[in-house]
Amino acid sequence: MEVIVAGNYDEMSRVSAHLIAKEIKKKHNLVLGLATGDTPIGTYKELVRIHKNEGLDFSKVTTFNLDEYLGLAPLNKTSYNYFMWENLFRHVNIHPGHTYVPQGNTEDPEEFCTWYEDQIKKAGGLDLQLLGIGRDGHIGFNEPGSSLASRTRVKALIKITIDDNAKFFDKPEDVPRFAITMGVGTIMEAKKLLLIANGKKKADVCAKFIEGPVTSQITATALQLHSHATVVLDEEAASVLSRREYYNWVRDNKHMVQKKIGR
Ligand code: PGA
């Protein structure tokens, strides 16, 4: 796992956006997995800027979002579908038919989840999956205890997630209790993973998932088993990592490291 410690939220966002842009430039029809929440907003802003100022071309890119609240229609303002249109899709030249977000108001969630997995396969699999992390260590909505082999399915949310997401809703009681989420197994099949996290409240969980033992109680620890996972943190999220000095040395000697290990 490559750990990059950026100075602050803006730098974290720039680094992650540039990593994504680099993949799109390398492969114009990139299959890109996307995340929602507060963390990736800056990354999307920077991607929009690169599109507008430097012509980054999304016309052949296909995207699959990690998750969606069960019960919310795509046009509901608190849905993740709406979030994606507000923060990225409507600002770039992506084909609307190439943007997949789980359908929260599907009548048959089980059938929908199978269909979603099939669409990922038909697209050729995820090339790069962007991830955030919950304070409980979830990736997607794979709450503690989720199988590390799980596939796209309905998951019940735990209290800490519901509390953290209440800020996006008028009333705490409005936060849905269930979501459709890609499974850990689905995420792990992406060729590359990119996890971003910022702020003090993520510091403990970042130390646990990067430096602690692999466990289904912190589903982000599965990244330790992936052959191409990159983590970009701001200073606060990295503040309790025990091997900070090593990660910073690697970052500061990037050119030499790249030459040696070829990444
Ligand atoms: P956040 O959520 O970006 O709003 O902190 C991250 C997550 O729950 O994955």
Side-chain angles (χ1 to χ4, degrees):
M1 193 187 302
E2 182 183 10
V3 180
I4 301 172
V5 183
N8 54 31
Y9 177 77
D10 288 345
E11 196 187 328
M12 176 205 79
S13 303
R14 276 198 300 275
V15 171
S16 61
H18 283 267
L19 289 172
I20 295 169
K22 195 168 120 192
E23 297 299 319
I24 296 175
K25 284 179 198 161
K26 263 202 295 195
K27 186 179 176 192
H28 290 226
N29 60 345
L30 194 79
V31 181
L32 176 62
L34 295 174
T36 48
D38 277 337
T39 316
I41 291 176
T43 300
Y44 295 147
K45 272 207 180 99
E46 180 63 11
L47 280 172
V48 170
R49 194 200 62 75
I50 301 173
H51 165 70
K52 295 213 157 108
N53 296 353
E54 298 167 28
L56 182 67
D57 181 16
F58 284 81
S59 64
K60 296 195 173 61
V61 172
T62 300
T63 63
F64 286 91
N65 264 79
L66 283 169
D67 45 22
E68 177 62 285
Y69 291 114
L70 193 65
L72 297 191
L75 291 181
N76 185 307
K77 289 195 170 161
T78 50
S79 74
Y80 285 158
N81 181 71
Y82 190 88
F83 173 101
M84 287 314 305
W85 279 94
E86 283 303 298
N87 287 287
L88 182 67
F89 298 155
R90 74 185 178 89
H91 306 287
V92 296
N93 64 332
I94 197 160
H95 190 301
H98 295 170
T99 62
Y100 293 83
V101 181
Q103 192 190 330
N105 63 348
T106 174
E107 285 186 358
D108 188 338
E110 211 178 311
E111 194 184 316
F112 178 84
C113 292
T114 307
W115 178 85
Y116 202 68
E117 290 267 341
D118 283 349
Q119 300 316 300
I120 295 174
K121 268 192 209 108
K122 275 191 193 148
L126 297 161
D127 290 306
L128 172 66
Q129 176 66 54
L130 176 66
L131 300 162
I133 183 169
R135 280 194 298 151
D136 62 354
H138 69 208
I139 47 173
F141 272 134
N142 293 287
E143 301 288 39
S146 293
S147 161
L148 300 184
S150 51
R151 311 302 307 185
T152 302
R153 70 214 183 289
V154 172
K155 193 74 197 163
L157 305 182
I158 73 166
K159 189 172 178 318
I160 189 170
T161 300
I162 293 167
D163 291 349
D164 280 350
N165 289 347
K167 59 180 182 259
F168 298 111
F169 292 82
D170 287 341
K171 297 183 276 158
E173 325 65 280
D174 291 345
V175 186
R177 266 32 184 182
F178 295 90
I180 294 175
T181 180
M182 276 186 207
V184 182
T186 319
I187 293 168
M188 289 291 283
E189 281 172 11
K191 293 185 192 78
K192 292 183 182 176
L193 300 179
L194 171 59
L195 187 148
I196 54 176
N198 69 290
K200 269 205 182 79
K201 65 176 189 182
K202 299 285 175 71
D204 285 336
V205 78
C206 284
K208 284 184 187 151
F209 98 84
I210 294 168
E211 297 177 338
V214 174
T215 169
S216 64
Q217 298 308 307
I218 300 172
T219 53
T221 58
L223 266 72
Q224 295 179 28
L225 303 173
H226 196 280
S227 60
H228 206 306
T230 304
V231 178
V232 187
L233 308 175
D234 74 347
E235 283 287 346
E236 288 186 347
S239 57
V240 296
L241 289 174
S242 62
R243 276 179 284 283
R244 269 283 290 289
E245 267 180 43
Y246 170 70
Y247 309 132
N248 288 346
W249 184 87
V250 173
R251 179 195 61 195
D252 297 340
N253 293 278
K254 208 166 175 209
H255 295 297
M256 193 237 295
V257 173
Q258 270 169 349
K259 240 193 220 161
K260 295 265 185 217
I261 65 175
R263 271 180 78 168

